[in-house]
Each structure stands twice: as C-alpha cells, then as structure tokens.
Amino acid sequence: METVSENACFGGVQGVYKHHSSATGTEMTFAVFMPEEAKDGPVPVLWFLSGLTCTHENAMTKAGAQAWAAEQGIALVFPDTSPRGESVADDEAYELGQGAGFYVDATQEPWAKHFKMWTYIADELPSLLTENFEIDMTRQSITGHSMGGHGALTMAMALPGRFRSVSAFAPICNPTESGWGRKQFTAYLGGKADWGAHDATILMQSKGFDGPMLVDTGTNDQFWDLLGNEAFSAAFAAKRQEGIIRLQKGYDHSYFFISSFMEDHMNFHAEALWA
C-alpha cells in the first residue's frame, strides 16, 4: 500500500492510498479518515460507497462527513466505484464501465477480467484495512449514495452479521426494474438468473436486514423514476423492517442533499456502532 496524501483533519487524519488489487487486477485508490481516537486503539468504521461517475474523492471532499465522524470517534472509508486504467474495459455512456461498477462481480466479457467490485469491497479492502489501520472490524456500518446506496443496501442484506447499521442517500433500490440496473446487469452479469442478489427490493422481500436502516431521498430528485422508491418502500413495510424511510422536501440528487443530512446519518450509525 502506498500513501498518496495525508492531511490533518478535525483532529484526525484524512488519507488517500493506492495499492494493487488482486480482485480487479488493477491499481485501486481509496481514502480513509481516521479520527483522533485511533491513536489509542481500534475505532469503529463507516463505509461510504459512492455513485455513478464518482471516485474516492467525491464523498471525501463534498459529503462533510469528517466533522461528524471526528465528533463520534468513527473511521470513514471511501472506496473507488470501479477499476480504472487503459487496459480496463469502458463504455462511452456514463452509467456503464469505468466509474460505474455497480458493486457486482462481472461474469461477462469484456467486463469479467477487472470488474470484481463485490469481491474488492467485501473481501479484499477489509483485509487491507485490518493490516494497515487501527480499525475495529467487529464494528462496521455502511452507507452510500445512488449507485453506492444500492451497494450499501445489498451488501448489508447479503452479508448478515457484517454491518451493525445501514443507511442510504437516494439509493437505486430496484435496479432489476430500472434503466439504472437492467442495462448494467445485462452487460456485467448476462441473463437474469443472478440479478436478484443485487436488488435491494428483492433482498428486502427475502431477507431484510437484522439491524436499523435509514433511507433518505429528496422529493425533487431528478432521477426519481430510476430509483425504485415505491417498490422498496412497499417491501420495507411488508417485511416490517426496523428503520426509517424519509422523503426530504425540496432536495435533489446532489451532494448538497447529502451534506445536509450527513449529521443525521453519522449519529444514526454512531448509536449502533458504539452500542
């Protein structure tokens, strides 16, 4: 692991790092915020999975999470959204290819060689963090935005016992019925057989999440029709899932929306992580 940068931040350290990934076969970059409390021993961690077109940098610089993480003594991890490089398959469309990994392990060409984002986030990066940072992996929570909200919800439900809490900002929560899902799943996964394992609505119907869940979406979200809020809300209610779904009046899909409610989400996760 190579240090790209480290900066003092709210009493802690905001770092950016890169390493060669065995999962993706590429160099991957990620960011970690370590609060001051990490000097005295391992701290809980909150994962932030970002959305379409994003890198590790978007949420790190725009979400405003570090101030609240420092207040709660929680580490933050900001992974990238896909493998990158000249040898990595890509597409002219912003919603497929580099910057649009959708947190799945691709099985179809030309994507299968590098697009192993599920394995990277679920297995490889946690091991790397354990080796290099004072993070307590028995106390993890996860959040994300849009495509990253999709990743957060699906990982939380598909990996029982891994995360103590899960939240999402404007998640893509019914991708098998959305243009933000069907196109990508067809490209990455092929036929529909395995799509349900990466659809938060279907996972809610079959599994649910053993812990608290918080989902925020703006009523002025310009991508509302692609998110699948109605289907997920119905599954949430039918499952009697512990948690809250909120519609925030007047907010859109931007990081202004995320930063407006980041304190709520940090406090929500802190309650679970420090319980």
Side-chain angles (χ1 to χ4, degrees):
M1 189 185 77
E2 179 183 338
T3 299
V4 176
S5 64
E6 287 185 334
N7 300 93
C9 182
F10 294 103
V13 176
Q14 175 62 65
V16 177
Y17 310 92
K18 63 182 179 180
H19 70 110
H20 180 79
S21 166
S22 59
T24 68
T26 65
E27 186 176 85
M28 296 293 289
T29 302
F30 65 96
V32 179
F33 169 75
M34 295 299 294
E36 187 174 14
E37 287 83 350
K39 296 175 183 176
D40 300 320
V43 295
V45 60
L46 175 65
W47 294 76
F48 191 110
L49 305 186
S50 290
L52 289 166
T53 76
C54 291
T55 69
H56 68 280
E57 190 172 14
N58 296 75
M60 180 185 78
T61 59
K62 296 179 181 179
Q66 291 91 338
W68 310 116
E71 185 174 287
Q72 299 289 356
I74 293 171
L76 298 169
V77 177
F78 305 98
D80 201 349
T81 56
S82 79
R84 300 178 190 274
E86 292 184 3
S87 64
V88 177
D90 201 7
D91 191 273
E92 292 182 358
Y94 75 93
E95 76 273 31
L96 184 68
Q98 296 186 38
F102 263 79
Y103 303 100
V104 302
D105 280 356
T107 59
Q108 306 299 303
E109 297 301 333
W111 314 102
K113 182 177 180 180
H114 298 297
F115 280 72
K116 303 293 185 184
M117 289 304 294
W118 182 278
T119 295
Y120 178 70
I121 299 294
D123 299 326
E124 184 177 8
L125 192 51
S127 295
L128 188 68
L129 294 173
T130 299
E131 294 170 4
N132 292 278
F133 299 91
E134 288 293 325
I135 289 176
D136 181 357
M137 284 298 179
T138 68
R139 291 182 290 169
Q140 298 184 69
S141 291
I142 191 167
T143 188
H145 171 231
S146 193
M147 179 185 72
H150 142 78
L153 293 173
T154 56
M155 286 192 169
M157 287 186 278
L159 300 171
R162 174 78 64 93
F163 302 105
R164 295 194 178 190
S165 53
V166 57
S167 73
F169 298 89
I172 302 169
C173 45
N174 194 197
T176 60
E177 300 298 329
S178 168
W180 276 357
R182 286 178 295 194
K183 173 182 178 179
Q184 294 78 8
F185 288 179
T186 299
Y188 297 146
L189 303 175
K192 282 194 171 185
D194 298 324
W195 288 16
H198 297 286
D199 186 306
T201 296
I202 294 173
L203 286 170
M204 178 59 70
Q205 292 167 344
S206 61
K207 296 176 178 289
F209 176 63
D210 186 19
M213 181 178 289
L214 172 64
V215 177
D216 274 326
T217 306
T219 60
N220 284 6
D221 193 304
Q222 58 270 49
F223 303 109
W224 178 275
D225 292 340
L226 293 167
L227 301 180
N229 292 287
E230 295 94 336
F232 182 74
S233 296
F236 187 98
K239 195 67 174 178
R240 301 185 185 183
Q241 172 65 44
E242 175 190 0
I244 303 170
I245 294 178
R246 306 190 300 189
L247 300 182
Q248 302 293 357
K249 186 176 181 180
Y251 285 88
D252 59 17
H253 202 73
S254 70
Y255 270 90
F256 296 110
F257 158 61
I258 297 171
S259 61
S260 296
F261 298 99
M262 196 71 235
E263 180 183 9
D264 286 358
H265 284 244
M266 286 302 313
N267 291 338
F268 166 77
H269 290 297
E271 184 174 348
L273 288 169
W274 287 113

